[in-house]
Amino acid sequence: MSVTAVADRVLGLLPDRADWQAVRRAPRRDLVAGLTVAVVALPLALAFGVTSGLGAQAGLVTAVVAGAVAAVFGGSHLQVSGPTGAMTVVLVPVVQQFGPTGVLMVGALAGLLLIALALARLGRYVRYLPTPVIEGFTAGIAVVIALQQLPAALGVTDAHGDRVWAVAADAVARFVVHPRPVALAVALGVAALMLLGARWRPGLPFSLLGVAAATVLAETVPVDLVRIGALPQGLPAPSLGFLDPGAVGVLLPSALAVAALAALESLLSATVADGMTVGQRHDPDRELFGQGLANLAAPLFGGIPATAAIARTAVNVRAGAASKLAALTHAVALAAIVLAAAPLVGRIPLAALAGVLLATTVRMVEAGALWALARATRGDALVLVLTFVVTVAWDLVTAVAVGVAVAVVIALRAVARSARLEQVPLDRGEHSAEEHALLAEHIVAYRLDGPLFFAAAHTFLLELSEVADVRVVILRMSRVSALDATGAHVLGDAIRRLRGRGITVLLSGITPDHDQVLATLGVADDLRRDGLVFADTPAAIAHAREMLRGTVTT
């Protein structure tokens, strides 16, 4: 791609006049929606920051900086971005292996990768992701996030393990030896308040109310609860101190995983937002571009990698948002909270934040949808379970890769089964009974229906090789829907086998696209030279009849 083409492409990804026209339509509604989302996002940003391993401050910085940049440059008018539970699942092992500076470097690299994906116009392909894969990794993420919260919910600060489930098991073991019932009661109380309150009054921010109540309890009653700790009043100064060009090679695999997750979750969230509204449609490539810029900006201030948040986006839509102003207001409101209430935020118990995320994981999983998918087909159930298990046991990106691979194999198997080799009767027309008997004895016509590609070619070869007691075989190709190199080679092999047994093969109805594949690979060149390739089946039948009468030789 030339420099001019890249420049034109970048200009096409930048905000345009339509974005600012949307801002002027209902600014009051957008401001109210943004403030509503900020109330919901505050405890989540704190909790995800703590869970990532970089602390509550990193979560707030990410929500402010990445949230603002993605709001301005993203491809959805309704999307809200920031730290998410799915991202923390990927970041925890990065923190353990490379430390905080490694996470910042991974975020910047992921931002560059997302921008490259946007320039390559790859955003549209997320629509092909199978539903069982999406539901499987969503359920898996919920379980992983819940396991991540067990140490804080149990009041355990020194749990260890190389996998999240191992850390959770160690925390449970330590809790049994030295139980801390207050922390567990606070976590379960906050979670219960959120879940039950949402059914009673869905519009109230019960997550914030629960965290506030837990903080008041911790301040007024002498209980042993671990707090967030001191937070600076204001955003950190931007810095490039985390940059280490020599570490790019080591960190690139982690950056690829973060970029893949950011792209996947952001585009899925934007699709969900479109489905909740009328007339709103996101631009997938612009969304990737906006997320890329957000992930480039967040590390400068010490923020973790970000992505669009489905839960916060849904709150934004339900609150009446109509433009990017709502998401931008959410980021500005969070920045004001950081400036004005940092000391108070630092007194929040970690167990309360664990309760917020435990309730969030329950909301993430739709048991009805999972059960319906599990009963749909065996293939869907297999993909769903595999994606879920790999997400919990290994990591999300591997789970998506495994789920998609299995789904592709199952789809190819189904498509291959749709390919048929069917013997069809020859049109009797006005010919004599003797000729009919001769034709029935010595000529057979086969119609190829469906795709002739690598997954179906072997079956085709076996079926066609069983043809016996005939002198002429007519292969009707007009209904072949797809033909690849493997299918073409197998076709050529079948023709050679039949001709080796003294059977003449005629081809009819080859479409121009398929003819190009055959000609390029040199398949059926002998038939073309001998005049045995025909535009339609009647011409092929007529030629076969002439051969049987002895007027034509092959």
Side-chain angles (χ1 to χ4, degrees):
M1 186 182 293
S2 65
V3 175
T4 303
V6 171
D8 292 340
R9 184 70 185 128
V10 170
L11 289 175
L13 295 171
L14 294 176
D16 54 25
R17 180 177 298 178
D19 295 323
W20 309 123
Q21 289 175 342
V23 168
R24 294 197 296 266
R25 289 175 191 158
R28 182 175 298 178
R29 284 172 50 196
D30 286 330
L31 291 173
V32 172
L35 292 173
T36 303
V37 176
V39 171
V40 174
L42 176 60
L44 292 174
L46 295 170
F48 289 137
V50 172
T51 302
S52 72
L54 267 70
Q57 179 187 356
L60 281 174
V61 167
T62 304
V64 173
V65 177
V69 174
V72 174
F73 294 97
S76 171
H77 290 291
L78 308 174
Q79 193 96 281
V80 179
S81 299
T84 65
M87 189 62 76
T88 61
V89 173
V90 179
L91 293 179
V92 169
V94 178
V95 175
Q96 294 173 346
Q97 188 173 359
F98 303 109
T101 57
V103 173
L104 301 182
M105 186 73 176
V106 164
L109 290 174
L112 293 175
L113 291 171
L114 288 168
I115 291 173
L117 292 176
L119 293 175
R121 302 183 180 183
L122 297 180
R124 68 198 73 179
Y125 293 106
V126 76
R127 72 186 67 172
Y128 300 114
L129 198 65
T131 298
V133 174
I134 297 172
E135 295 293 342
F137 82 69
T138 301
I141 288 171
V143 171
V144 172
I145 294 173
L147 291 175
Q148 287 177 340
Q149 305 318 306
L150 276 182
L154 299 176
V156 177
T157 58
D158 53 353
H160 301 289
D162 56 349
R163 295 282 181 183
V164 64
W165 50 266
V167 176
D170 186 51
V172 171
R174 292 173 184 272
F175 179 80
V176 171
V177 176
H178 299 290
R180 296 175 177 85
V182 175
L184 181 59
V186 167
L188 294 179
V190 171
L193 177 63
M194 289 179 60
L195 295 175
L196 297 176
R199 293 189 175 186
W200 175 53
R201 295 289 295 273
L204 291 179
F206 284 99
S207 60
L208 191 62
L209 294 176
V211 170
T215 305
V216 171
L217 174 68
E219 290 296 311
T220 57
V221 179
V223 292
D224 182 19
L225 289 173
V226 181
R227 315 296 182 92
I228 288 177
L231 294 175
Q233 289 184 278
L235 295 177
S239 171
L240 294 174
F242 64 89
L243 290 181
D244 182 7
V248 170
V250 178
L251 296 175
L252 189 58
S254 298
L256 287 169
V258 169
L261 177 57
L264 183 64
E265 192 169 10
S266 296
L267 294 177
L268 287 176
S269 176
T271 302
V272 170
D274 289 347
M276 295 176 65
T277 60
V278 177
Q280 291 279 5
R281 289 295 178 267
H282 73 283
D283 184 326
D285 296 323
R286 282 187 61 189
E287 184 58 32
L288 290 180
F289 184 72
Q291 295 296 332
L293 292 179
N295 280 284
L296 279 177
L300 297 177
F301 298 88
I304 61 177
T307 179
I310 295 177
R312 276 159 275 178
T313 298
V315 171
N316 194 40
V317 175
R318 293 192 185 106
S323 75
K324 295 172 177 287
L325 180 60
L328 186 59
T329 301
H330 136 272
V332 173
L334 289 177
I337 292 173
V338 172
L339 291 172
L344 180 60
V345 171
R347 301 300 298 168
I348 295 174
L350 292 179
L353 297 183
V356 171
L357 292 187
L358 287 174
T360 301
T361 61
V362 174
R363 291 177 175 178
M364 288 176 63
V365 179
E366 295 185 12
L370 293 177
W371 180 238
L373 279 174
R375 293 182 301 164
T377 67
R378 291 182 180 178
D380 288 333
L382 176 62
V383 172
L384 177 71
V385 172
L386 271 179
T387 306
F388 171 80
V389 171
V390 176
T391 299
V392 176
W394 281 275
D395 61 76
L396 186 140
V397 176
T398 302
V400 172
V402 170
V404 170
V406 174
V408 167
V409 170
I410 293 174
L412 289 177
R413 183 169 175 264
V415 172
R417 285 183 170 183
S418 69
R420 297 192 306 274
L421 183 68
E422 180 181 359
Q423 184 175 349
V424 295
L426 298 175
D427 184 13
R428 290 177 177 267
E430 299 297 331
H431 299 282
S432 65
E434 293 81 7
E435 186 178 8
H436 298 329
L438 188 63
L439 291 175
E441 182 179 352
H442 295 294
I443 298 177
V444 63
Y446 285 95
R447 181 175 63 220
L448 281 68
D449 283 336
L452 183 57
F453 69 125
F454 69 91
H458 182 66
T459 302
F460 163 77
L461 176 60
L462 291 178
E463 291 186 20
L464 195 56
S465 297
E466 294 177 358
V467 175
D469 299 326
V470 296
R471 288 177 56 188
V472 182
V473 170
I474 301 173
L475 298 180
R476 301 174 60 179
M477 305 282 291
S478 60
R479 295 193 182 183
V480 174
S481 58
L483 178 69
D484 69 355
T486 303
H489 278 300
V490 168
L491 176 63
D493 191 18
I495 292 172
R496 285 190 296 273
R497 292 190 186 193
L498 292 172
R499 298 188 76 183
R501 291 161 49 195
I503 299 174
T504 300
V505 180
L506 311 182
L507 297 181
S508 70
I510 302 175
T511 65
D513 290 342
H514 300 161
D515 193 37
Q516 181 180 2
V517 175
L518 296 174
T520 302
L521 298 176
V523 176
D525 284 348
D526 292 344
L527 300 187
R528 297 176 194 276
R529 185 177 58 252
D530 296 338
L532 301 179
V533 178
F534 300 89
D536 52 50
T537 301
I541 293 174
H543 186 86
R545 287 168 174 162
E546 291 175 358
M547 287 176 54
L548 291 177
R549 288 199 299 264
T551 58
V552 177
T553 59
T554 61

